[in-house]
Amino acid sequence: MRLLTRTFRPAARIGARPFSTDHLKRTATYEDHVALGGKLVDFAGYAMPVQYVAKDSKHSLSIIESTKWTREHASLFDVSHMCSVIWRGKDAVRFVEKVTVADVAGLPVGRGVLSVICN
């Protein structure tokens, strides 16, 4: 069985036509990914790097090399494109504070946090 998804599509080329990432949303680290030679793809509507391919860059590793590097050292993953959930209502903050481990009440206006919803 093959899993088909529309959330992961190479942004560099679709068929023989050039494909631009201009219409995709960008994370706060988008410019850094571009400067480091990130091969950008459409991931859930965001332009995200799947690999770094710039010549003469220490970040230019094959997917296997990148996996080995992460296992032996450490890597960062930009999660700013994930989990956009908006809770509304007069008790929204109290509810989210109760079911997650996040300090939602302490967040500045317009900011978010990643957390888990506990049983």
Side-chain angles (χ1 to χ4, degrees):
M1 177 184 285
R2 186 173 166 205
L3 176 65
L4 300 175
T5 178
R6 291 185 174 194
T7 60
F8 183 77
R9 180 175 63 215
R13 294 185 67 75
I14 298 289
R17 298 178 309 163
F19 181 73
S20 171
T21 59
D22 292 344
H23 69 287
L24 298 173
K25 293 183 258 181
R26 297 176 177 181
T27 66
T29 57
Y30 172 84
E31 295 298 333
D32 295 319
H33 295 308
V34 171
L36 293 170
K39 179 179 176 185
L40 301 175
V41 298
D42 179 349
F43 189 82
Y46 285 84
M48 297 296 294
V50 68
Q51 186 179 14
Y52 292 91
V53 294
K55 292 179 181 172
D56 302 325
S57 171
K58 66 180 181 178
H59 303 290
S60 184
L61 302 173
S62 72
I63 293 173
I64 299 291
E65 290 169 331
S66 178
T67 301
K68 287 179 180 178
W69 169 264
T70 299
R71 289 180 178 175
E72 295 171 4
H73 301 88
S75 293
L76 296 176
F77 180 71
D78 181 356
V79 296
S80 62
H81 66 288
M82 299 173 69
C83 306
S84 296
V85 177
I86 298 173
W87 299 87
R88 292 195 168 115
K90 69 179 183 92
D91 295 325
V93 172
R94 188 166 28 139
F95 170 73
V96 176
E97 286 270 337
K98 184 175 182 177
V99 299
T100 69
V101 296
D103 178 16
V104 176
L107 288 173
V109 174
R111 297 298 299 217
V113 65
L114 285 177
S115 187
V116 295
I117 297 178
C118 304
N119 287 338

